[in-house]
Amino acid sequence: MFLPDTQSFSADITAEFARLYPAAWARQAIPADELALLAQAAMGNGNQFRRFLKRRLHGDPVAYILGHVTFAGRRFTMDRRAYVTDPETVHLVGAVRQWASPRQGPLYAAEVGVGAGALAITLLLEVPDLRITGLELDDAAAALCRENAAHHGVALDVVESDLFAAWGDRPAPDLIYGDLPWGDDTTLYGQDRDADHYHRMPPTTAFPLSGRTGAHQDLIMAVRDRGWAAHILLNCGTLPDGDIADVVAAARDMQARLLSPAATARILHLFPL
Ligand SMILES: C[S@@+](CC[C@H](N)C(=O)[O-])C[C@H]1O[C@@H](n2cnc3c(N)ncnc32)[C@H](O)[C@@H]1O
């Protein structure tokens, strides 16, 4: 069997690219772990690897080039229809799991902004007696989410909806969680994903329409309008205390607890008094 020597094959072509496109390379050299993933996906095909490198130098996110993202040890199909799930949101999954563990099932949760479904599908596979409705503003992302749910064999209820507008006559959820758009070009996770990375995503995904916590505050108002007494877990990522205080102020009739499982994973837990 022919096994390509991925390392020397990729090193030669990478050196060729650094020589051919010095300005682009200086702007954003492709890190070794990404090169390894792209080379592996090219499977020894030099033309394909060159295409991958050129797309990456143009700023195309790695997950769109590979056609998948790995989240919590599982592979999910990923393409331009959806936001590329941030690895840090594994802490939101952990927070939901912790919330669920002492409670008796069955439990019913709503994920607002379900995107390609990596969080909800992970939870359905890992938390017994949990049902989830995933709400998504963008029809194309909802379609990809359904494909991922079918691939992983989970019964995820996916609804095209602006917040809870299309909730219909489903019962009130016990928990509402999500990684809704938050922040702006200055509140990034780290240097591996600059603001441009987020501007490559579908327009509804990364940043709120109003302020750095506008989507969180809209969600809280929508929950209040429905009179639901649900717990709420919201990813606030790297947002500073002042922004989180704005969300807490919007949730005026709820208790608030800030979870910080990592410096880049600030998760706000709101619950009824
Ligand atoms: C940061 S992305 C997270 C996606 C997914 N949870 C993930 O982690 O891969 C935010 C998602 O919320 C969706 N969204 C934004 N505003 C929304 C709204 N008002 N109602 C429902 N979904 C919304 C976006 O389309 C996007 O898919």
Side-chain angles (χ1 to χ4, degrees):
M1 187 169 93
F2 170 71
L3 281 176
D5 175 358
T6 317
Q7 239 176 356
S8 71
F9 144 84
S10 77
D12 290 351
I13 296 177
T14 303
E16 172 194 321
F17 262 67
R19 220 174 31 249
L20 281 173
Y21 305 107
W25 200 267
R27 231 180 4 258
Q28 198 186 10
I30 306 173
D33 56 334
E34 286 187 8
L35 285 171
L37 286 172
L38 296 172
Q40 201 183 18
M43 293 194 299
N45 180 331
N47 280 339
Q48 189 161 24
F49 187 54
R50 286 187 179 85
R51 282 199 304 106
F52 288 170
L53 289 190
K54 202 168 247 187
R55 285 175 62 184
R56 188 68 193 108
L57 283 183
H58 275 289
D60 212 0
V62 180
Y64 291 162
I65 299 173
L66 295 175
H68 64 82
V69 71
T70 301
F71 181 79
R74 292 185 185 86
R75 185 180 277 209
F76 298 89
T77 299
M78 181 52 67
D79 59 38
R80 283 178 219 291
R81 288 177 287 175
Y83 182 86
V84 178
T85 310
D86 290 299
E88 291 82 356
T89 51
V90 77
H91 295 294
L92 179 60
V93 168
V96 173
R97 199 189 291 111
Q98 270 185 4
W99 173 88
S101 72
R103 294 179 162 79
Q104 297 296 321
L107 296 167
Y108 184 30
E111 179 173 337
V112 187
V114 73
L119 278 58
I121 294 166
T122 301
L123 283 164
L124 288 172
L125 290 169
E126 294 184 0
V127 180
D129 284 336
L130 181 66
R131 274 192 311 129
I132 302 179
T133 292
L135 302 149
E136 177 51 56
L137 188 60
D138 187 324
D139 303 22
L144 176 56
C145 185
R146 289 191 185 97
E147 290 166 25
N148 274 322
H151 177 78
H152 284 279
V154 296
L156 173 60
D157 175 34
V158 182
V159 187
E160 288 86 352
S161 181
D162 177 9
L163 297 174
F164 306 103
W167 187 259
D169 58 3
R170 292 170 180 79
D174 304 300
L175 173 70
I176 295 159
Y177 73 93
D179 179 30
L180 275 170
W182 55 268
D184 59 22
D185 282 5
T186 68
T187 56
L188 304 167
Y189 279 117
Q191 300 202 326
D192 58 328
R193 282 154 289 160
D194 61 10
D196 181 59
H197 171 78
Y198 294 99
H199 290 288
R200 305 281 174 160
M201 311 272 171
T204 60
T205 60
F207 303 115
L209 280 179
S210 60
R212 300 206 292 208
T213 61
H216 292 53
Q217 296 187 44
D218 287 349
L219 177 134
I220 288 164
M221 278 189 292
V223 173
R224 185 182 305 129
D225 286 350
R226 289 184 167 256
W228 286 342
H231 283 235
I232 302 176
L233 284 166
L234 295 177
N235 184 41
C236 297
T238 64
L239 287 176
D241 291 347
D243 289 342
I244 292 174
D246 292 341
V247 185
V248 173
R252 51 182 187 259
D253 47 359
M254 299 184 88
Q255 299 261 46
R257 195 164 65 108
L258 185 62
L259 315 172
S260 299
T264 52
R266 314 190 86 196
I267 295 166
L268 185 60
H269 182 189
L270 301 167
F271 47 101
L273 286 171

